[in-house]
Amino acid sequence: MTIEVGYWNIRGLIGGVRLMLEYAGADWNETFYEAHLKENADRKDFTNWDRSEWTNVKATAEFQDGFAFPNLPYLVDGDVRISQSTAMLKYIARKFDIGQKLSDTESWRVDQAADQIVDVRGGFVGLCYGFRTPFAQRETYCENTLKPQLKQLDRYMAGNNFVAGETLSYVDFMFWEILDHMELFDASLFDGLDNIKAFKKRFAELPKIAAYILSDKFMRGPCNNKMASWGGDKDLKRTW
Ligand SMILES: N[C@@H](CCC(=O)N[C@@H](CS)C(=O)NCC(=O)O)C(=O)O
């Protein structure tokens, strides 16, 4: 049976899910939704974006009754209907037996890192859209917040091939995905972070991942939606 996922036509929260579905060799299909700018409107004002391509679908009985928490991204696998991107990653990992044999230490390392990555990601994305940190404060945010957070993650990876240790697990997919957005944003964020750089390279060299990244199916950009201050375009042009 084909696994169906749905999301905006961007990387955002679904990039790691796409990576895992490809890694697992799953039979999967995606529905893309687009936000459209209202006529002559300021693109930076979030209320000027028409999201009805999605909200009309979200309003249907199929979504309101079929999902506990209708949202993007979502996953449908037969009778299984899941939203929340981390839950989707964990579901796919269980279904395809990815990282399911972890020791207690490996398990808490993975779960702790997953929550930390969600937090760090939230701050970075909040800068890219300017809704948590004004984009004009980019340099201060990167120096005082993001770089120290990345340094902690770099230390977490010391001596480990993957987040768990030696075993690949769901968190590696979400970790690599947001690291890739950050590298495309400003590769100098990783200066001196050799463990992060080594992890990023190691993950990208997994044969299934390498093949996917090189294929036409892989979306390099946009990382964010069109109203973002950075990452809302296909070419990921520098906006400063
Ligand atoms: N915690 C949720 C966040 C979901 C979320 O914020 N989705 C955004 C896109 S990144 C959205 O546009 N949702 C559509 C909606 O609110 O209906 C997850 O990890 O999946």
Side-chain angles (χ1 to χ4, degrees):
M1 189 177 314
T2 305
I3 297 176
E4 300 283 344
V5 297
Y7 195 55
W8 301 112
N9 196 2
I10 63 171
R11 288 174 75 170
L13 278 170
I14 209 171
V17 171
R18 292 180 186 141
L19 284 165
M20 201 193 281
L21 288 166
E22 286 294 318
Y23 177 81
D27 172 14
W28 69 286
N29 183 49
E30 182 159 11
T31 302
F32 295 105
Y33 301 92
E34 289 274 356
H36 299 280
L37 186 62
K38 294 175 190 164
E39 220 173 309
N40 298 323
D42 172 10
R43 55 189 307 115
K44 291 280 164 62
D45 181 344
F46 289 15
T47 60
N48 287 339
W49 288 88
D50 174 5
R51 294 161 25 113
S52 58
E53 246 184 54
W54 156 243
T55 51
N56 288 343
V57 172
K58 183 181 185 177
T60 60
E62 187 191 344
F63 276 74
Q64 288 301 312
D65 300 338
F67 286 85
F69 314 109
N71 209 337
L72 293 176
Y74 63 77
L75 175 151
V76 178
D77 184 19
D79 292 339
V80 173
R81 283 163 191 267
I82 308 176
S83 60
Q84 288 295 353
S85 54
T86 307
M88 288 164 58
L89 283 171
K90 289 179 169 178
Y91 173 80
I92 301 161
R94 276 192 298 275
K95 179 165 176 131
F96 293 96
D97 196 20
I98 298 166
Q100 297 304 295
K101 291 171 202 74
L102 300 181
S103 67
D104 281 351
T105 303
E106 289 171 330
S107 296
W108 67 249
R109 266 188 66 83
V110 163
D111 291 342
Q112 174 176 257
D115 283 343
Q116 182 64 14
I117 290 160
V118 167
D119 289 354
V120 173
R121 181 188 184 283
F124 173 64
V125 172
L127 170 78
C128 291
Y129 283 88
F131 58 66
R132 257 169 80 169
T133 307
F135 193 71
Q137 290 173 23
R138 178 186 59 84
E139 275 183 43
T140 326
Y141 177 81
C142 288
E143 282 311 313
N144 299 343
T145 304
L146 187 53
K147 283 188 184 175
Q149 288 174 328
L150 288 172
K151 205 167 174 187
Q152 290 177 333
L153 286 163
D154 187 73
R155 202 169 54 194
Y156 206 70
M157 295 307 292
N160 297 300
N161 279 335
F162 298 105
V163 173
E166 290 308 307
T167 309
L168 184 74
S169 70
Y170 76 91
V171 73
D172 296 301
F173 293 80
M174 61 198 279
F175 192 27
W176 187 88
E177 177 66 19
I178 195 59
L179 288 176
D180 200 46
H181 297 205
M182 288 175 184
E183 190 172 19
L184 291 163
F185 171 75
D186 182 355
S188 75
L189 286 170
F190 299 159
D191 284 354
L193 304 184
D194 293 345
N195 300 314
I196 281 190
K197 284 195 229 169
F199 162 76
K200 192 150 186 297
K201 185 166 180 290
R202 186 177 303 116
F203 182 90
E205 283 173 357
L206 293 169
K208 288 265 181 57
I209 297 291
Y212 172 52
I213 290 174
L214 286 175
S215 76
D216 291 344
K217 218 175 163 188
F218 178 69
M219 186 188 288
R220 182 175 173 276
C223 288
N224 298 314
N225 228 322
K226 295 169 198 160
M227 63 294 277
S229 297
W230 177 82
D233 59 322
K234 212 168 176 300
D235 301 327
L236 304 171
K237 281 193 215 72
R238 194 170 257 242
T239 50
W240 63 93

